[in-house]
Amino acid sequence: MSQEPKTSKSRTIDKASEKMMDKATSEKVSTAWDRFEAVKVQCSYGVKGICCRHCMLGPCRINPNDESSRGICGADAETMASRGLLRSAAAGCAAHSDHGYDVAHTLLLAAKGELPNYKIKDTKKLMAIAKEYGIDTTGKSVNEIGVLVAETAISEFEKAHGGLRFLKRMPEKRLKLWEKLGIVPEGVNSEIVTSLHRTNMGMGSDYYDTFMNSLRVSIADGWGGAMIATELTDILFGTPKPIRSKVNLGVLSEDMVNVLVHGHEPLLSMMIVEASQDKEIVELAKKAGSKGVNIAGICCTANEILMREGIPVAGNFLQQELAIVTGAVEAMVVDVQCIMPSLPSVAACYHTKIISTSKKAKVRDAIHVQFEETKAYETAKDILKIAIDNFKNRDKNKVNIPSESMDIIAGFSSETLSYMQGGVYRASYNPLVENIKNGKIFGVVGIVGCSNCKVQQDFANVTLAKELIKNNVFVVNTGCAAIASAKAGLMVPEAMELAGPGLREVCEAIGCPPILHAGSCVDNSRILVACTEMIKHGLGTDYDELPIAGAALEWMSEKAITIGNYFVAQGALVVIGVPHMVTGAPKLKKLMYEDIEGITGGKFAVEADPYKACELILNHIAAKRKKLGI
Ligand code: MSK
């Protein structure tokens, strides 16, 4: 059956993306949308989660119309789908946690004085984490404490028993429930290893147990790997504070050397930002005929350097190829996660150099400049020199930078939010909680996750955010959903006009937009901390009592499975726009979307329509408010 290619307008609501898609089409450059449409029909077994290739008896698949259908080993649809889900959750946890481990290792070496380019920037947070870790800081220098904090964080990954230290942040009630359910993680790496073991041939076939363990490994991410990544990145580079910048492809410059940093880890990108101001680099750039070096980010690397340095964001996940299509990018420097293997082939149509930097993510047909923490600044300069040298190859006839760029205020960490509500001496969540209780703020919703060709880019995320604030719901954004909101002009004080009167009054008093940019994917841990603060300040006694919800209407990454899982384990409603690949397993589906609510208080709901998703969330929050008697 032939399928008409979709128009760029129907693929995205973002004007800049639309223009670049049209440019790509006219220049015969294939993008993710073209490849998605070329697939035409995606595997109907895969999409339902009812196929398995975990052993060489298979691959096997289940006949969805035959209840007695089994794989060769006897696995049914429930076993196959739940195993697939647990493996994905473990992979998501591994991604965030490996990121967190790298940050911890860098902090360790920096504190030992072995990395001349890195220094502890946020000593206040260092001391706070040292206290939480039970480290005796008496008479010790900042670096000595840094070593102890880093070593303790590293032990959180490596230990097999003992439980995660950050879990002590939670109210006892939730921890007790998790203990009863057997989903309290021991150590980060051991949980990932056990998850892979559990899903091996001949292991667990009980879909309930397998799903509950997918929650467990996800908790190891939220309260382990991701939280360590967030907290230790703050120690190394500073806890974010409100900062102004710009977002969308219009941040690229006609007359500067454009370098895009893309991926997730800030370790190299922070150095690239610093090196771009280096006298030698600036002079080289001028000598090459440009006005200097312009750094901008894609995906969560963008969020990391936006939050701390105010570096502009060029775009979210589905814009990585489109940024190259502008013809104005001298180099795209990639680290880990969310990097499309297609980048070198798109770049081959222009002059852009794709530079991979992580030994964990070598990209075929890219230039590889290995990142080593010991010579980070030098590496950053080497990369910038490649980009500068490439400026002469820019073909002016191929350059078309869309004019779209939008102001943004980012940098809302949990600490900042607390500070904004009371200043240095009276920092507190009390005003937020009081305004939730008095109804000026109806509830709080986290909109997180990616962009996905299966749905119109940015539409669901942006529409949901707008609908929620209209109904006095405070919105916290992370990841590519945050970039979507920013592009739509929702992260500036003017967005207050779109908020309901109660929310507007509170935001004006606090001095923040009604939609907050809280950071990257690992920074969803900041939302966990913020929810914990609400409870500590007298809003309910456990997370499932809170008038909150999560939404990931455009998700695509396994990391989003893990994030959704840990919020459901926490007791939150999580609305997703793209269903999990479990729909061929009716019992598992019922467990995830219905029965789990009676177990953890949270559940998943599928709703791609942002208006209906909003209604669902508002009803959920109303029910929670009623139960709380507010
Ligand atoms: S980058 S995981 S596409 S949010 Fe964190 Fe964006 Fe999703 Fe990657």
Side-chain angles (χ1 to χ4, degrees):
M1 204 168 74
S2 75
Q3 185 182 320
E4 284 297 311
K6 286 191 174 176
T7 62
S8 49
K9 220 186 190 69
S10 67
R11 288 165 163 180
T12 181
I13 60 161
D14 173 37
K15 273 272 160 228
S17 296
E18 189 188 323
K19 287 178 191 169
M20 287 307 100
M21 262 185 248
D22 289 340
K23 184 172 187 284
T25 306
S26 71
E27 290 169 357
K28 303 205 179 334
V29 178
S30 163
T31 66
W33 283 278
D34 301 313
R35 295 188 294 275
F36 175 68
E37 282 160 31
V39 172
K40 291 197 171 81
V41 181
Q42 292 186 304
C43 171
S44 67
Y45 296 91
V47 92
K48 294 188 179 96
I50 49 174
C51 47
C52 178
R53 47 185 288 277
H54 292 198
C55 84
M56 290 308 289
L57 293 175
C60 297
R61 61 189 189 183
I62 296 290
N63 177 352
N65 303 315
D66 177 3
E67 265 188 39
S68 66
S69 180
R70 298 286 183 274
I72 295 166
C73 71
D76 65 4
E78 311 296 341
T79 299
M80 284 188 191
S82 58
R83 275 183 189 163
L85 188 85
L86 174 52
R87 281 213 168 177
S88 288
C93 176
H96 286 157
S97 302
D98 210 20
H99 168 170
Y101 186 91
D102 281 349
V103 176
H105 189 247
T106 304
L107 175 63
L108 178 68
L109 298 185
K112 281 184 173 174
E114 291 174 23
L115 303 179
N117 306 132
Y118 298 96
K119 290 206 168 38
I120 291 169
K121 204 165 174 186
D122 191 339
T123 49
K124 194 174 165 199
K125 181 156 262 192
L126 175 76
M127 297 308 282
I129 302 293
K131 195 172 166 202
E132 266 194 272
Y133 279 176
I135 293 167
D136 179 9
T137 55
T138 331
K140 294 190 176 78
S141 71
V142 164
N143 277 341
E144 282 167 342
I145 298 166
V147 169
L148 293 172
V149 164
E151 281 174 348
T152 311
I154 287 169
S155 75
E156 295 285 273
F157 293 98
E158 293 172 349
K159 69 184 175 192
H161 301 288
L164 299 170
R165 284 175 170 79
F166 284 144
L167 287 175
K168 292 198 191 105
R169 291 177 166 186
M170 279 201 306
E172 189 76 351
K173 201 172 167 187
R174 178 70 21 182
L175 202 53
K176 283 251 152 64
L177 173 68
W178 285 357
E179 272 164 11
K180 204 172 115 205
L181 295 172
I183 56 172
V184 179
E186 297 285 350
V188 178
N189 295 359
S190 65
E191 292 300 332
I192 298 164
V193 170
T194 306
S195 298
L196 293 180
H197 186 191
R198 281 179 189 283
T199 51
N200 221 279
M201 196 275 152
M203 289 296 289
S205 57
D206 176 343
Y207 72 93
Y208 172 85
D209 187 60
T210 307
F211 174 64
M212 293 308 281
N213 278 289
S214 83
L215 297 186
R216 179 170 161 146
V217 75
S218 302
I219 295 167
D221 177 16
W223 292 91
M227 199 169 276
I228 291 170
T230 297
E231 301 290 32
L232 269 55
T233 303
D234 285 354
I235 291 174
L236 261 183
F237 298 116
T239 302
K241 296 187 179 75
I243 192 161
R244 266 191 182 274
S245 192
K246 296 251 179 210
V247 60
N248 215 342
L249 293 171
V251 305
L252 294 172
S253 169
E254 286 272 1
D255 41 26
M256 293 174 89
V257 174
N258 290 307
V259 178
L260 291 180
V261 284
H262 170 29
H264 280 76
E265 292 183 359
L267 298 173
L268 174 62
S269 51
M270 288 293 278
M271 286 299 127
I272 291 179
V273 170
E274 202 181 319
S276 68
Q277 306 300 320
D278 188 288
K279 215 172 145 211
E280 184 195 354
I281 293 296
V282 174
E283 273 167 21
L284 276 175
K286 284 188 179 154
K287 236 190 222 165
S290 77
K291 286 192 175 160
V293 178
N294 179 40
I295 311 285
I298 300 269
C299 281
C300 282
T301 296
N303 288 324
E304 296 280 359
I305 57 176
L306 161 75
M307 294 267 284
R308 296 188 177 84
E309 299 293 327
I311 298 300
V313 176
N316 50 6
F317 175 69
L318 282 175
Q319 284 178 289
Q320 58 187 286
E321 295 175 309
L322 303 179
I324 298 171
V325 174
T326 62
V329 176
E330 274 58 53
M332 184 179 277
V333 187
V334 301
D335 51 59
V336 292
Q337 302 165 26
C338 300
I339 297 146
M340 289 189 193
S342 64
L343 292 180
S345 59
V346 176
C349 304
Y350 304 92
H351 72 303
T352 308
K353 304 266 189 220
I354 305 296
I355 303 175
S356 60
T357 57
S358 168
K359 55 185 166 218
K360 296 170 197 166
K362 288 195 177 164
V363 178
R364 200 175 69 203
D365 297 331
I367 300 169
H368 188 73
V369 180
Q370 182 104 358
F371 168 61
E372 308 284 357
E373 298 99 324
T374 44
K375 41 183 185 156
Y377 193 69
E378 221 177 298
T379 310
K381 279 177 79 175
D382 288 346
I383 286 171
L384 291 176
K385 284 175 189 170
I386 295 172
I388 292 167
D389 187 50
N390 195 26
F391 185 66
K392 62 178 182 293
N393 297 321
R394 194 190 279 188
D395 179 350
K396 285 205 169 74
N397 297 319
K398 281 192 173 178
V399 173
N400 182 357
I401 301 173
S403 55
E404 284 77 14
S405 82
M406 184 56 76
D407 289 326
I408 172 178
I409 301 175
F412 293 95
S413 55
S414 171
E415 291 85 346
T416 301
L417 198 53
S418 179
Y419 167 78
M420 291 176 83
Q421 293 177 73
V424 181
Y425 300 108
R426 295 171 58 210
S428 164
Y429 267 68
N430 272 337
L432 178 68
V433 166
E434 283 314 310
N435 284 304
I436 292 174
K437 284 184 179 171
N438 67 26
K440 283 182 187 159
I441 294 179
F442 190 60
V444 181
V445 171
I447 304 180
V448 310
C450 324
S451 32
N452 186 327
C453 310
K454 289 180 177 172
V455 294
Q456 191 182 29
Q457 187 201 11
D458 296 348
F459 169 70
N461 280 336
V462 169
T463 310
L464 178 62
K466 282 186 184 169
E467 287 300 301
L468 286 171
I469 61 169
K470 195 162 88 185
N471 286 284
N472 296 307
V473 175
F474 201 28
V475 173
V476 183
N477 259 171
T478 59
C480 289
I483 300 174
S485 290
K487 284 189 289 176
L490 301 180
M491 289 180 162
V492 285
E494 294 75 19
M496 221 81 93
E497 305 292 325
L498 304 173
L503 178 63
R504 187 175 169 170
E505 189 190 318
V506 178
C507 289
E508 276 169 355
I510 296 178
C512 67
I515 301 176
L516 299 185
H517 189 304
S520 63
C521 299
V522 292
D523 291 336
N524 285 309
S525 63
R526 297 191 198 277
I527 302 180
L528 290 177
V529 173
C531 293
T532 308
E533 288 297 324
M534 287 188 230
I535 299 169
K536 282 186 184 158
H537 286 81
L539 192 62
T541 58
D542 196 357
Y543 301 84
D544 61 338
E545 296 169 26
L546 295 176
I548 59 165
L553 298 191
E554 302 184 35
W555 74 283
M556 64 84 203
S557 167
E558 286 176 314
K559 290 174 284 173
I561 291 183
T562 318
I563 295 163
N565 262 4
Y566 67 67
F567 277 105
V568 166
Q570 212 67 48
L573 166 73
V574 175
V575 185
I576 54 173
V578 180
H580 293 99
M581 292 184 192
V582 300
T583 53
K587 289 181 186 147
L588 173 63
K589 196 178 147 196
K590 187 167 174 292
L591 172 62
M592 293 172 67
Y593 299 150
E594 295 173 36
D595 301 347
I596 191 66
E597 194 173 17
I599 301 169
T600 68
K603 67 171 180 180
F604 286 105
V606 181
E607 184 50 75
D609 179 332
Y611 297 100
K612 288 186 186 158
C614 180
E615 210 180 302
L616 212 149
I617 289 170
L618 292 177
N619 288 338
H620 174 80
I621 290 177
K624 295 290 172 188
R625 293 187 65 92
K626 197 172 168 199
K627 258 197 171 167
L628 278 172
I630 56 174

